[in-house]
Amino acid sequence: MMRTRPLKVALLGCGVVGSEVARIMTTHADDLAARIGAPVELAGVAVRRPDKVREGIDPALVTTDATALVKRGDLDIVVEVIGGIEPARALITTAFEHGASVVSANKALLAQDGAALHAAAEEHGRDLYYEAAVAGAIPLIRPLRESLAGDKVNRVLGIVNGTTNFILDKMDTTGAGYQEALDEATALGYAEADPTADVEGFDAAAKAAILAGIAFHTRVRLDDVHREGMTEVTAADFASAKEMGCTIKLLAICERAGDGASVTARVHPAMIPLSHPLASVRGAYNAVFVESDAAGQLMFYGPGAGGAPTASAVLGDLVAVGRNRISGATGPGESAYAALPVSPMGEVVTRYHISLDVADKPGVLAQVATVFAEHGVSIDTVRQQGKDGEASLVVVTHRASDAALGGTVETLRKLDTVRGVASIMRVEGE
């Protein structure tokens, strides 16, 4: 039987995502009511610019006083889509204090203060859901913390930023340089006027922190995630990747150590084999590859950003939280019982592709190989090309620690026969 008293929902933010949430709540009102078991009423919308025309939203619901809105005391759910750290953090905790559960799409805040927000939700007996914070419309948070709750997740490897994937895909398929591909992404609306958060990996790092925390039942903060941007990736890197049967993606990688005693979380460009499922992810799409003991290998794929896709994830959380409100229950909260240490990047073990500019004369290859051996880094393949006294030397290693590789490169730079290190890239997905 459907409850007649509606669930009251406040919306914080009415931009690209917020306006889509409001639209779907209105156009799909009957379906949402049937799925939840009660009507859903939009009780207020907090915005910065109240004079802007918002189609389908009663102007009487619009306010610039977000704090007063979440303090009303009669709200069931607060949907936060304003982003950033403050005032979002204060508004969410205030909502809990005044009896509302929260649905958020705020990856930066959750990566930085997720533990405190979960604690506040638990203290007040309320829900905190955030499916939209990681991969837009792609169901990922709920499968990790519910569907795979009985399994042991060992690795999460993914493309979690559509802007960077679009740029790298253009460089790969058309031979465009980084700036040319970025300009196209900006013209098409995939990249912001200031793309720093995307291309320097900040966005992906926040998502990696959230994914690692859920997958490994361990608190992982944004500061724990090693981050490298993709602005230095060149057409020459893609040429080298193709020679190895690979392409290049900006990856978020979260994994357990081999002995299970620690975890790592990192974001950086990497070569991946064309045979890997992530290699075929094109354009602005996202995909996440999950490896677990019992389920094996799973892949989640779809649009990772945009108003409608992100709103889809928000509304999915809204339905789940609404059902909990009606039944008097709460969904799963933070699971951090494992409390595994997060290892530094220096301990991460992977393969490397190193391109060196060297003197084209006898003995150089032997000299370089000796340096690798002295640092305990085993070489898999070497390719050398040169003329007129200059040469390019490409070395692909077996698996080695980041610290060992760093020491190797530092020593190589001191050799008279090494003119420079053209590029260093990790090789993943094997």
Side-chain angles (χ1 to χ4, degrees), residues 70 130-131 243 314:
V70 299
Y130 43 91
E131 184 68 66
E243 290 178 356
V314 170

Side-chain angles (χ1 to χ4, degrees), residues 219-239:
R219 287 178 178 171
V220 179
R221 289 171 52 88
L222 181 58
D223 292 344
D224 296 321
V225 181
H226 174 81
R227 176 194 56 80
E228 297 174 25
M230 47 157 280
T231 57
E232 301 301 319
V233 176
T234 66
D237 292 325
F238 275 101

Side-chain angles (χ1 to χ4, degrees), residues 11 14 18-19 22-23 26 42 45 54-62:
L11 183 60
C14 198
S19 60
R23 182 189 66 80
T26 301
L42 185 59
V45 181
R54 294 173 173 86
E55 186 177 350
I57 296 177
D58 183 352
L61 297 177
V62 176

Side-chain angles (χ1 to χ4, degrees), residues 22-380:
R23 182 189 66 80
I24 295 171
M25 284 181 61
T26 301
T27 58
H28 295 179
D30 291 342
D31 287 338
L32 290 173
R35 294 166 190 168
I36 294 172
V40 179
E41 174 189 326
L42 185 59
V45 181
V47 300
R48 287 182 296 178
R49 293 180 292 168
D51 297 332
K52 181 180 177 180
V53 176
R54 294 173 173 86
E55 186 177 350
I57 296 177
D58 183 352
L61 297 177
V62 176
T63 178
T64 57
D65 194 342
T67 301
L69 178 60
V70 299
K71 283 184 174 180
R72 279 177 38 165
D74 64 338
L75 299 176
D76 294 288
I77 304 170
V78 170
V79 175
E80 183 271 309
V81 288
I82 57 178
I85 305 302
E86 291 292 358
R89 175 169 48 197
L91 292 171
I92 289 174
T93 55
T94 301
F96 291 141
E97 292 166 0
H98 288 79
S101 290
V102 173
V103 173
S104 176
N106 196 330
K107 54 188 171 287
L109 178 58
L110 289 159
Q112 179 171 307
D113 288 320
L117 294 177
H118 274 293
E122 183 177 1
E123 178 185 353
H124 297 284
R126 295 294 178 251
D127 277 324
L128 174 62
Y129 276 49
Y130 43 91
E131 184 68 66
V134 171
I138 305 172
L140 188 57
I141 299 297
R142 195 171 289 116
L144 280 174
R145 73 176 184 176
E146 296 181 30
S147 304
L148 295 174
D151 205 345
K152 179 184 177 184
V153 176
N154 295 309
R155 197 176 197 221
V156 180
L157 173 75
I159 299 164
V160 294
N161 184 279
T163 300
T164 55
N165 198 60
F166 178 89
I167 292 170
L168 292 173
D169 185 39
K170 281 294 176 183
M171 294 176 69
D172 183 25
T173 57
T174 69
Y178 167 77
Q179 189 60 50
E180 182 183 353
L182 173 59
D183 290 343
E184 182 174 353
T186 303
L188 292 172
Y190 292 128
E192 301 287 345
D194 179 1
T196 302
D198 295 323
V199 301
E200 294 295 351
F202 291 101
D203 176 85
K207 296 171 180 178
I210 295 170
L211 290 173
I214 295 170
F216 307 134
H217 305 279
T218 291
R219 287 178 178 171
V220 179
R221 289 171 52 88
L222 181 58
D223 292 344
D224 296 321
V225 181
H226 174 81
R227 176 194 56 80
E228 297 174 25
M230 47 157 280
T231 57
E232 301 301 319
V233 176
T234 66
D237 292 325
F238 275 101
S240 294
K242 287 181 179 180
E243 290 178 356
M244 291 179 58
C246 293
T247 188
I248 299 171
K249 300 291 185 181
L250 184 75
L251 299 178
I253 305 170
C254 315
E255 56 190 353
R256 294 179 188 267
D259 60 5
S262 64
V263 299
T264 59
R266 50 198 165 99
V267 168
H268 54 71
M271 295 181 180
I272 58 172
L274 294 175
S275 58
H276 194 281
L278 291 179
S280 61
V281 178
R282 300 297 185 187
Y285 275 71
N286 286 189
V288 177
F289 203 70
V290 178
E291 301 175 9
S292 67
D293 276 0
Q297 297 178 332
L298 306 170
M299 183 165 161
F300 301 84
Y301 170 85
T310 305
S312 171
V314 170
L315 268 295
D317 280 349
L318 183 68
V319 170
V321 173
R323 289 169 175 170
N324 291 344
R325 294 285 287 193
I326 291 173
S327 66
T330 55
E334 182 188 32
S335 176
Y337 73 90
L340 297 171
V342 182
S343 297
M345 186 63 188
E347 297 179 13
V348 171
V349 175
T350 188
R351 296 181 67 204
Y352 289 88
H353 176 282
I354 305 101
S355 179
L356 304 172
D357 295 325
V358 299
D360 186 17
K361 61 182 183 180
V364 173
L365 178 56
Q367 194 177 26
V368 168
T370 298
V371 172
F372 276 86
E374 289 174 347
H375 288 272
V377 179
S378 176
I379 294 176
D380 182 16

